[in-house]
Every structure is written in C-alpha cells, then in structure tokens.
Amino acid sequence: MDEVLLRSLTPHVLGILVHRGADFAAAEDAVQDALLEAVRVWPANPPRDPKGWLVTVAWRKFLDATRADAARRRREDVVEAEAAPGSAPAVDDTLQLYFLCAHPSLTPSSAVALTLRAVGGLTTRQITQAYLVPEATMAQRISRAKRTVSGVRFDQPGDVATVLRVLYLVFNEGYSGDVDLAAEAIRLTRQLAAAIDHPEVAGLLALMLLHHARRAARTAPDGSLVPLAEQDRGRWDTASIAEGIGILQAALARDRLGEYQAQAAIAALHADAPTAEETDWVQIVEWYDELVRLTDSPVVRLNRAVAVGEADGPRAGLAALAVLDDTLPRHAAVAAYFHERDGDLATAARLYVEAAGKATNLAERDHLTRQAARLNARPG
C-alpha cells in the first residue's frame, strides 16, 4: 500500500467532490471512507487509475451518506413534531433546565436522553453513540419522554445523579465529538458544585478539568489525532490539572467513592506521569477494578483491558479483551494495538481497517486508517 500516493491524491479527490457540489465537511468524510476502502482493497487488487478509483468510490460514499442523512433528518423531524407546544422560560437558566428535564415522571435513561436532545443540543445520532443503542430505539425513547412530560407541571426537579449523567455525556461529546460543548459542561458543573456539597459533583468537575487540560495536545496542527502516549505534555494545562487534583483529593477524603471520583483518579494518574513510560498502570488497573464494581459497564471493562495490557503486556491485554463483546466501540482498535505490540502485524492491520470503519469522528477514522496503511506498507 503506497501511503505517499494516497496522501498526494487526497486533496485532488477532495477538490473534485467539492466542485461537483459536495460541501467540504461531507466531502472530507467521503474521501476518508474511500481511503479506508483503498487500504482494504488495493493490496490485493490495485487499480489501474488510482485517482479515478478514489473519485468514483468517494462520490458513491458521499451520495450514500447524503441519502442516509436526509432519512435521519426526516425521522428527527417526526420526533420533533410530537413535542407538545410550550412557552419558553423568561430567564435562561440552563442548569435549572437540566434539572427540570430530569423530571421524576421519567426513567433516568429517558430523562438523560431528553435533556441531551432538548437542552444539550445533541442530535439523536450523537445520543445514540453515547448509549450504544440503535438510532431508531433512541428516537423512540426521546419521543416517549416528550409525550410523558407534555402534560405534567415542571415544578418537581429531577435528582442530582441524573443531571450529573447528562453533564458527563455532554462533556464527552464536546471533548471527543463534533460539537464543542465541553466548556459549557464545565461551566454548569462548576455552578452545580458551588450549589451542592456532594463528593460525586466534585468528582465530575475534577474529571472534566483533568481531561480538558490535555485538549490542546490531542490534535496535531493538521487536525490529526495524537494518542495520549505521543502527546506533548508541555502543552497540557498545568493549572487545570492542579485544580482538578486538588478537588479530587478533597472529594476522596470524604470516603464516599463514586464512579466519577474513580474516573477522575485514573485521569489524575495519567496527568501526574512526567512521561507515558512512567504511567502507573498497575494503580490504574486497581482503579478500573473499583470502577467495574461501581458500574459494571462494558465500556469500563474495555478500558480496563487496555490498562491490563499496558501493565502486564499485550497478551494479557488480549486475554482481558477476549471475554468482552467484540461489537463494543473501540474493541477492534484496542485489539489492533495489542496485536501490533505482540508482533502480529497482519492481524493488526486488518483490525485497524475494521476499527476505522466503526469510528464515530473524522479524526479518529483518519488516525486508524493511517495506522493500517503504515502496517500494510511494511516490507514482507
């Protein structure tokens, strides 16, 4: 696989799609999909006209995505039409709206979905990715939540745990997704921490600060993703790290451990390490054990497998991964990483391609595609 050729052709193919009428962002997505297809197909069946092949495949990908997006918008319009009319609040108090959407008449999962859609500004697709459920299922859940609250008075605010879950998901979408909501989530969590003396509120604020402190180093100047181990730690925000660790230590001292404090403790161990090689992975595994006990989340178990592989070697990581559902987000990417570290480059390349096809944002997809191309370009 000629990675140099692919890179040289990318701007030409992108320009052709834009000239044909595709908007730039959609064209970028389509070209990345075509590059992924090239990584998969070309080693065994190289085209006579690489540029023409890429243009044809990218244009087809663009048309498919456009049709799918149009269908999604029609479905969301139907969901929106089901919402009962109501007057807008006289005062824009976003945090209060979060509590009101977390109404006692709703289940916690429905309250979170409704708040993310109505107040957080996330699309049904983005909420779907956070919940690991089909998009149609989430659309129905939001629709039911709107119908449930359409006839009730919003004078009974929801509980803190549900609001924390919403803020956590909004921050995650802003931190890793296409919509920049991270700063707003931190602002609202600061407000909540000032109003409510609760260790889990403090734990969530600490977690946000520690993750946000690394944001400047997460992408290269060209927009490509920089993995944690390769980040320039000199670009991390030391003031935010110090604040986050201070808040976390005060919360942990109260001996009322919750999932956000445990996650923040893991983030703090990463932030404390002067280099990637000095990361205390053994202690991180121990914190993941606590987090599994608190949440029993399949995503937490996946992240624990990563920590096990870093602490005890790639084969230990693959063994921990083998007992998990292989449809989990990032499962293929983690497997690819450990297979590469274990020397099985062919399997790693194949899994990187598979992982790129499942990536939920352009930067991650591009990174995984490059990883696959790098391994496929190796001699022999």
Side-chain angles (χ1 to χ4, degrees):
M1 169 60 60
D2 192 338
E3 184 179 357
V4 175
L5 175 62
L6 283 177
R7 288 185 180 183
S8 68
L9 289 176
T10 297
H12 298 288
V13 177
L14 184 60
I16 291 172
L17 263 64
V18 172
H19 181 72
R20 289 185 177 182
D23 69 87
F24 189 81
E28 276 192 322
D29 284 345
V31 171
Q32 289 300 320
D33 284 338
L35 292 176
L36 177 61
E37 189 76 3
V39 170
R40 186 180 68 83
V41 172
W42 286 13
N45 188 22
R48 294 182 180 179
D49 179 9
K51 180 179 176 181
W53 189 97
L54 284 172
V55 169
T56 299
V57 173
W59 183 248
R60 186 177 70 245
K61 298 284 187 183
F62 166 73
L63 292 177
D64 289 345
T66 300
R67 295 188 189 103
D69 189 58
R72 176 185 62 80
R73 290 180 185 277
R74 286 194 297 271
R75 291 194 300 271
E76 290 189 349
D77 287 343
V78 170
V79 172
E80 288 295 326
E82 294 178 358
S87 57
V91 179
D92 180 19
D93 189 338
T94 306
L95 188 58
Q96 183 64 16
L97 287 175
Y98 272 58
F99 272 96
L100 292 176
C101 283
H103 196 273
S105 63
L106 297 172
T107 63
S109 60
S110 294
V112 170
L114 177 62
T115 314
L116 290 172
R117 187 72 181 92
V119 186
L122 276 65
T123 66
T124 301
R125 178 176 293 177
Q126 290 166 327
I127 302 169
T128 294
Q129 292 166 357
Y131 268 87
L132 311 181
V133 298
E135 187 172 342
T137 300
M138 183 54 64
Q140 291 171 1
R141 184 178 299 176
I142 294 171
S143 178
R144 285 195 301 269
K146 289 179 178 180
R147 287 198 298 270
T148 298
V149 301
S150 64
V152 301
R153 293 179 57 190
F154 280 84
D155 55 2
Q156 293 179 278
D159 65 349
V160 174
T162 300
V163 174
L164 286 179
R165 181 63 178 166
V166 175
L167 289 168
Y168 173 74
L169 290 173
V170 170
F171 176 81
N172 280 347
E173 185 59 42
Y175 185 69
S176 63
D178 301 323
V179 182
D180 188 1
L181 297 170
E184 175 69 358
I186 291 174
R187 182 184 73 83
L188 293 173
T189 307
R190 283 191 187 279
Q191 285 186 13
L192 190 59
I196 299 176
D197 182 21
H198 192 289
E200 272 293 81
V201 177
L204 179 58
L205 179 57
L207 175 64
M208 289 179 175
L209 290 169
L210 289 165
H211 276 303
H212 205 60
R214 301 199 302 260
R215 186 166 190 176
R218 291 185 74 243
T219 54
D222 63 359
S224 60
L225 191 66
V226 181
L228 176 61
E230 300 172 19
Q231 288 176 16
D232 177 1
R233 298 182 180 223
R235 299 185 65 197
W236 290 2
D237 183 348
T238 54
S240 291
I241 290 173
E243 182 185 6
I245 290 176
I247 292 170
L248 173 63
Q249 288 174 337
L252 291 175
R254 300 175 66 175
D255 199 24
R256 291 168 56 194
L257 184 64
E259 63 174 298
Y260 300 118
Q261 294 169 75
Q263 288 189 57
I266 293 167
L269 286 167
H270 285 296
D272 262 348
T275 65
E277 292 72 24
E278 295 173 86
T279 303
D280 189 347
W281 285 106
V282 172
Q283 193 173 166
I284 288 175
V285 172
E286 292 173 356
W287 275 111
Y288 271 121
D289 288 339
E290 290 288 345
L291 201 50
V292 168
R293 180 182 62 80
L294 289 164
T295 68
D296 196 28
S297 162
V299 174
V300 169
R301 291 183 182 276
L302 178 69
N303 290 334
R304 180 188 178 278
V306 174
V308 168
E310 296 290 0
D312 300 328
R315 294 191 179 181
L318 287 169
L321 201 62
V323 300
L324 303 179
D325 183 353
D326 62 8
T327 65
L328 281 169
R330 296 181 55 246
H331 188 287
V334 173
Y337 170 69
F338 283 139
H339 276 293
E340 180 180 358
R341 283 189 53 196
D342 197 40
D344 187 352
L345 304 188
T347 299
R350 175 179 58 78
L351 287 169
Y352 277 129
V353 172
E354 179 184 333
K358 297 177 180 178
T360 58
N361 63 71
L362 182 61
E364 183 181 357
R365 187 190 314 167
D366 181 64
H367 171 72
L368 293 167
T369 301
R370 288 176 185 274
Q371 295 294 86
R374 173 179 57 81
L375 292 184
N376 284 326
R378 293 172 68 95

